[in-house]
Amino acid sequence: MPHEASGSPSSHSSALVRVVTGHVVSSGSMVSRAYLTDEWRGIAVGDSDGGHWLVCTLDALAPDREGLLIRGEEESGLPREYAKATLTKIVISWMGPGGPSDEPIEITIANPRVFVHPDGSSIGVVSLDRKTGFAGYVDAGTGPRCHDLAGTDATVGDFEIETLFDAGDDSFWSVRRRAWPSSISGTGFLGQAGALALDVAIDDRDAGSPAFGFGEPDFVLHGVVRPVGAHVAMLLPTRLIEETVTHAQAGDGLI
């Protein structure tokens, strides 16, 4: 089945943000270290107390540690058996009202505190209110759209996945890709309760992109997606995001 896609400037009307993570691979007994950066996607959500949260899949916030150690060894020569990997920085950026022609707006979170879903689903959240100035952008109308967590989880119908296309000139364009739930999804997928299999191909760095109900008004958020195969993605529904934020508000689930 062909996939439909459309492109438009990424702007403050979207919840989608570009996420760049920075990991330090180091050892307490050795001078050598490596700084590794990776690009991902994420969304901004608001909670009932007026707080703001970055939502990503664990591909970004708790990636394969062994893979990081191997990359660190290749870059710095630090033997991976003596090393550890630490998430030290997250840079979040989005386009201003002028779209790709504007300089991107960005904030940096140093030494981020990552909270994960209480039952092991591949969702992680980070507070956007820790000395970042994020709320000011939201109040001024120049921040990304912060979805509240009152959206419904859909189990049938089609979805639009919003991802970013790197134009190669420091600009990013929003691409909305049509996806269809797999008929064999059932009530879970690959051991993730409530997850759906989607018939769509997305890049690894598009993990964390939001999914909206196709044709629905006001872009009802139904969750975030992560690739799990060449032409298959997993939808992690809004309910899992809400549970993770509630967990984080209580100070639980910190990694």
Side-chain angles (χ1 to χ4, degrees):
M1 187 178 293
H3 301 295
E4 300 175 10
S6 59
S8 62
S10 178
S11 74
H12 62 290
S13 64
S14 169
L16 175 65
V17 295
R18 179 175 177 246
V19 177
V20 177
T21 55
H23 283 86
V24 170
V25 177
S26 62
S27 169
S29 60
M30 298 184 183
V31 176
S32 299
R33 62 173 49 202
Y35 184 71
L36 308 176
T37 60
D38 295 281
E39 181 180 332
W40 310 95
R41 310 293 176 238
I43 61 170
V45 300
D47 64 30
S48 58
D49 297 327
H52 306 93
W53 300 86
L54 170 69
V55 178
C56 295
T57 66
L58 295 187
D59 306 85
L61 299 179
D64 172 31
R65 294 287 167 164
E66 184 63 21
L68 289 173
L69 297 181
I70 292 172
R71 289 168 57 194
E73 183 177 42
E74 292 172 347
E75 182 170 313
S76 69
L78 177 64
R80 60 182 180 273
E81 60 266 28
Y82 300 111
K84 66 176 182 178
T86 305
L87 178 62
T88 60
K89 185 168 70 173
I90 300 175
V91 179
I92 304 159
S93 61
W94 61 92
M95 292 298 164
S101 61
D102 277 0
E103 287 292 322
I105 302 171
E106 69 176 38
I107 61 172
T108 298
I109 303 175
N111 301 314
R113 304 172 73 221
V114 177
F115 297 85
V116 298
H117 186 268
D119 295 326
S121 293
S122 299
I123 291 288
V125 301
V126 175
S127 173
L128 290 170
D129 297 318
R130 295 182 64 217
K131 301 179 181 179
T132 64
F134 182 80
Y137 291 110
V138 175
D139 293 342
T142 56
R145 177 176 179 175
C146 282
H147 280 272
D148 63 37
L149 296 176
T152 57
D153 291 338
T155 56
V156 295
D158 299 344
F159 298 90
E160 271 194 333
I161 297 170
E162 185 177 9
T163 61
L164 288 176
F165 169 70
D166 183 351
D169 58 359
D170 296 326
S171 67
F172 290 83
W173 286 70
S174 169
V175 177
R176 294 173 184 164
R177 190 176 300 277
R178 188 88 171 268
W180 292 262
S182 167
S183 60
I184 59 172
S185 291
T187 58
F189 179 51
L190 296 181
Q192 302 266 341
L196 291 176
L198 297 183
D199 173 23
V200 67
I202 60 173
D203 293 337
D204 288 345
R205 68 181 181 178
D206 288 325
S209 297
F212 304 97
F214 183 75
E216 293 184 5
D218 299 323
F219 293 102
V220 175
L221 177 68
H222 287 305
V224 294
V225 299
R226 60 188 301 258
V228 294
H231 295 282
V232 179
M234 174 188 291
L235 172 69
L236 296 163
T238 308
R239 172 181 58 81
L240 300 179
I241 299 173
E242 183 174 11
E243 290 170 355
T244 309
V245 169
T246 299
H247 208 49
Q249 288 174 311
D252 297 328
L254 181 67
I255 60 171

